[in-house]
Amino acid sequence: MLAFLLTLGLMLLIVIAVVYAERKVAAFMQDRMGPTEAGPHGIMQPLLDVLKLLQKEDIIPTAADKKLFSIAPILVFVAVFAGFAVIPLAPAVVASGIGIGVFYMLAIISLDVVGLLMAGWGSNNKYAMLGAMRSVAQIVSYEIPAGLAILAVVMVCQSLDFQEISFQQGALMNQFPGLEYEMNWLFGIEALGINTTTIGGITTWNIFRVPLLFVAFIIYFIASLAECNRAPFDIPEAESELVAGFHVEYSGFRFAVFFLAEYAMMVLVCLVAVVLFLGSWNTPLPNIGPFSLAYWTSGTVGELSGILWGAFWLISKTLILLFVQLWARWTYPRLRVDQLMHLCWKVLTPIALAVVLGAGIWRLLMVG
Amino acid sequence: MYRHKLRFAKLATSVKESLKLGTTIKYKTGFWSVVKSLWQGAALTIRHFRNAKNRRTPAYVSDENYFKQPDGLVTLTYPYEALPIPDNGRYRLHNEIDDCIVCDLCAKVCPVNCIIIESVKATEDIGTTSDGTKKRLHAPVFDIDLAKCCYCGLCTTVCPTDCLTMTPVYDFVEVDIKNMVYHFTDLSPEEAEEKKQLLAKQQEEMAAAKAAALAAKKQQG
Ligand code: SF4
Ligand code: SF4
């Protein structure tokens, strides 16, 4: 229960921060000022927007399929929020530390698509319908390269448990039950003879441990942009052609839920990227000789210091990735549908397959 | 200048080449050029993002930076900041009624007839304007309908005492259009009525005096 409230609170907090950041970042990139009136520097703007949305009338179109229409936003939100359950926030803090976390995550996030389709179909509106169709086509397609990229990580780490994958990527590895005698080698290759188990820091992050996973990271990041319908892959919501896509008929509370789910999804995919590729809650600073920077900035597992340091590193890395998402949105124009599918099926998927193959070979080298 | 020429020459040769090959100008493709162009785009937006700490200042029009857009945010937070108005700008009219001699010139010249003046002759001495012209008329009504005004400024040029001027105020929106009519008279309706009666009385007296004088003349004659 505590973990539930904590996760919900944290998610809402980050979402609010991201909504505010989005408006400010967009404004600054376009030489504008963004919100300035509500609170100092407009900091209250997202909160007041949500309050405003909650006060609005909840309109259900007469021609809509009422059941689908009203369940859809809840389904979308639940799917995204359930994904947060398996994300480790710190060495000892995870809402649900199940052994098949990665698998569960991929499965539960896919439910999102059903919600979107229900919203689009149930609205009985051609824009919503088009948006939902595009959205489903896009998300289903991009799940393949994203899934393959994640598969590469799973093959390298030999685990579906987010917490185990996190421990593997830092100097605290040997404190995870089951990993007591594991070793980390530079680039994962024992033959090089450089033991990084106690060096930790960035040298044990997955993208550094197995440089091939950097390609997987790029693929995953691009695919995750598409999965949360962010520009340049925002054709399902394309304001300029589809008005707002699948949620065009929604208002008030239901719209707020969609809005929240969308931003929560952004946060979630960034968290997953950080956990799988960028060292999770581990510090980026390595132990160098007498300066055990990694230990100093990690705290003790299971104690408050460990939780605070872990949460700090995880959240700051996530915020950086979120900034990159915003940056991409306000830089790149929207892709055409054919370009989108071309990118997915003819570029990302083959490369992801090659990465999976490469990751397998690398794993063999790691075993020695 | 030289660089432009060079660029033009390059463009010309590339156009010639493409004509020779019978193709249109090709888009660059290939992995690295795509990565490069993606990076260029990202660098452009991040540059604007980093420059966002600079802001446009409310500079006067004669400032040399007025037309140059320096780096950073271009917006001014309007009600709090505003670009200064040029001195010869034509905005809301103001009439300094103490200096007005109610000559009606402005009302006559106005192309849209938005100035309404009623005048009443003064019975006693009502002083002079600040430039020394003697005032002889009261203005119980001096209305300018700024909703009709086209801000041509003709009325300010004809005004002999320079009491009708343009002010730098341009933000005077109203919810009710009737509020766009500005009343400049310094007389309350009661005072105006009083002045009218005084004038009527004076005229009556004068008429009576005249009649008396005429009668006296007749008797003599
Ligand atoms: S500015 Fe022109 S239109 Fe306006 S009151 Fe004067 S003469 Fe009339
Ligand atoms: S022209 Fe000037 S002095 Fe004459 S009535 Fe108009 S405002 Fe008064």
Side-chain angles (χ1 to χ4, degrees):
Chain A
M1 194 61 203
L2 180 73
F4 175 80
L5 291 179
L6 201 73
T7 320
L8 187 65
L10 186 78
M11 186 195 77
L12 290 180
L13 202 71
I14 299 186
V15 165
I16 295 272
V18 172
V19 173
Y20 175 70
E22 166 126 270
R23 300 188 61 170
K24 275 294 190 189
V25 168
F28 288 163
M29 285 184 176
Q30 297 169 349
D31 289 347
R32 294 182 288 114
M33 297 193 59
T36 53
E37 287 297 297
H41 297 281
I43 202 124
M44 300 296 289
Q45 190 71 48
L47 211 64
L48 296 178
D49 280 348
V50 170
L51 285 182
K52 181 203 74 177
L53 277 179
L54 294 186
Q55 291 169 18
K56 295 251 166 169
E57 188 187 350
D58 179 20
I59 301 169
I60 299 183
T62 343
D65 185 328
K66 299 207 172 43
K67 274 198 205 107
L68 290 187
F69 189 84
S70 44
I71 302 172
I74 298 165
L75 188 71
V76 171
F77 181 75
V78 165
V80 175
F81 184 58
F84 277 87
V86 288
I87 298 289
L89 296 177
V93 183
V94 51
S96 162
I98 51 175
I100 51 161
V102 178
F103 183 65
Y104 163 83
M105 166 78 71
L106 286 177
I108 200 90
I109 286 196
S110 307
L111 268 184
D112 186 44
V113 178
V114 181
L116 299 187
L117 192 58
M118 277 163 69
W121 183 271
S123 299
N124 202 353
N125 171 311
K126 58 180 175 249
Y127 293 120
M129 188 64 214
L130 277 173
M133 271 161 47
R134 286 181 180 192
S135 175
V136 171
Q138 169 175 327
I139 294 182
V140 169
S141 307
Y142 274 84
E143 251 165 27
I144 291 165
L148 288 173
I150 291 177
L151 184 63
V153 178
V154 170
M155 282 168 73
V156 165
C157 293
Q158 297 284 303
S159 170
L160 282 168
D161 183 351
F162 276 113
Q163 192 65 290
E164 186 177 343
I165 294 175
S166 303
F167 266 102
Q168 283 186 9
Q169 301 178 64
L172 305 175
M173 175 164 80
N174 294 344
Q175 300 187 22
F176 188 77
L179 293 178
E180 285 91 348
Y181 305 108
E182 289 284 317
M183 293 282 184
N184 264 326
W185 302 92
L186 187 66
F187 301 134
I189 299 173
E190 197 174 345
L192 288 176
I194 303 169
N195 190 333
T196 55
T197 315
T198 52
I199 294 178
I202 196 167
T203 61
T204 46
W205 289 11
N206 267 340
I207 54 162
F208 201 87
R209 199 158 71 123
V210 181
L212 187 65
L213 287 185
F214 189 73
V215 183
F217 169 62
I218 301 288
I219 293 171
Y220 174 78
F221 192 72
I222 295 174
S224 71
L225 280 180
E227 280 197 55
C228 41
N229 297 333
R230 293 288 295 177
F233 306 105
D234 62 343
I235 59 162
E237 313 188 353
E239 290 106 340
S240 42
E241 29 183 303
L242 288 186
V243 197
F246 58 85
H247 58 59
V248 65
E249 291 288 3
Y250 281 87
S251 59
F253 179 68
R254 289 178 214 280
F255 176 76
V257 173
F258 265 124
F259 191 70
L260 195 67
E262 198 166 300
Y263 279 84
M265 182 76 168
M266 280 170 65
V267 176
L268 183 63
V269 294
C270 286
L271 274 170
V272 172
V274 168
V275 171
L276 293 181
F277 298 97
L278 302 179
S280 191
W281 36 256
N282 286 297
T283 162
L285 305 170
N287 290 324
I288 309 166
F291 301 103
S292 34
L293 296 175
Y295 293 135
W296 294 343
T297 53
S298 296
T300 320
V301 178
E303 282 179 19
L304 190 65
S305 64
I307 294 175
L308 289 183
W309 275 114
F312 169 73
W313 289 120
L314 184 76
I315 290 172
S316 27
K317 286 183 221 174
T318 307
L319 289 181
I320 291 173
L321 277 193
L322 283 168
F323 176 77
V324 176
Q325 282 201 346
L326 301 184
W327 184 11
R329 167 160 186 190
W330 299 106
T331 304
Y332 301 127
R334 183 180 309 136
L335 265 66
R336 266 193 336 251
V337 181
D338 61 322
Q339 290 168 331
L340 188 89
M341 290 301 166
H342 173 96
L343 181 67
C344 176
W345 293 105
K346 296 191 190 163
V347 182
L348 293 183
T349 306
I351 299 178
L353 281 170
V355 168
V356 168
L357 188 67
I361 295 171
W362 206 293
R363 179 67 206 175
L364 289 179
L365 293 176
M366 285 168 83
V367 174
Chain B
M1 197 59 218
Y2 174 70
R3 252 180 47 209
H4 287 159
K5 261 186 200 159
L6 200 68
R7 213 181 276 165
F8 184 73
K10 263 190 199 162
L11 188 72
T13 48
S14 75
V15 167
K16 258 183 232 157
E17 268 169 21
S18 58
L19 284 179
K20 204 161 55 193
L21 294 172
T23 54
T24 48
I25 297 171
K26 263 194 180 168
Y27 289 109
K28 278 195 182 169
T29 50
F31 184 72
W32 288 114
S33 57
V34 169
V35 170
K36 202 178 131 208
S37 73
L38 282 178
W39 173 248
Q40 279 170 340
L44 181 77
T45 41
I46 205 75
R47 193 167 68 236
H48 281 268
F49 182 75
R50 276 201 266 112
N51 284 336
K53 54 186 181 298
N54 305 329
R55 281 192 53 203
R56 189 194 175 105
T57 47
Y60 189 63
V61 66
S62 62
D63 196 287
E64 58 180 83
N65 281 328
Y66 184 83
F67 288 107
K68 275 188 223 148
Q69 174 50 56
D71 290 333
L73 311 180
V74 292
T75 15
L76 294 176
T77 49
Y78 166 64
Y80 312 118
E81 307 166 321
L83 285 178
I85 310 270
D87 286 340
N88 52 0
R90 299 203 298 253
Y91 301 104
R92 185 164 76 183
L93 283 164
H94 174 71
N95 185 16
E96 195 59 48
I97 195 73
D98 287 345
D99 285 347
C100 175
I101 56 170
V102 201
C103 65
D104 210 29
L105 278 179
C106 52
K108 286 205 179 74
V109 80
C110 178
V112 293
N113 289 337
C114 65
I115 308 182
I116 310 290
I117 302 177
E118 265 176 33
S119 55
V120 173
K121 243 195 217 146
T123 45
E124 70 274 36
D125 183 26
I126 51 169
T128 55
T129 64
S130 55
D131 66 351
T133 320
K134 198 156 169 39
K135 287 170 71 172
R136 296 171 203 280
L137 296 166
H138 288 295
V141 177
F142 195 115
D143 291 353
I144 304 185
D145 188 346
L146 286 170
K148 285 190 205 154
C149 172
C150 68
Y151 301 94
C152 61
L154 286 177
C155 51
T156 62
T157 41
V158 296
C159 179
T161 59
D162 279 342
C163 64
L164 195 58
T165 48
M166 293 287 192
T167 56
V169 182
Y170 53 84
D171 189 357
F172 51 100
V173 280
E174 296 286 355
V175 177
D176 186 351
I177 198 162
K178 290 191 194 108
N179 294 339
M180 290 296 276
V181 182
Y182 281 70
H183 310 288
F184 290 107
T185 175
D186 55 350
L187 299 177
S188 66
E190 297 79 41
E191 283 173 328
E193 198 47 45
E194 192 192 320
K195 303 281 182 220
K196 270 183 209 161
Q197 270 161 14
L198 277 177
L199 179 68
K201 213 163 131 201
Q202 194 193 38
Q203 272 169 346
E204 246 170 47
E205 276 166 13
M206 273 164 67
K210 218 174 176 182
L214 214 67
K217 219 174 183 182
K218 254 188 193 158
Q219 262 177 10
Q220 273 174 6

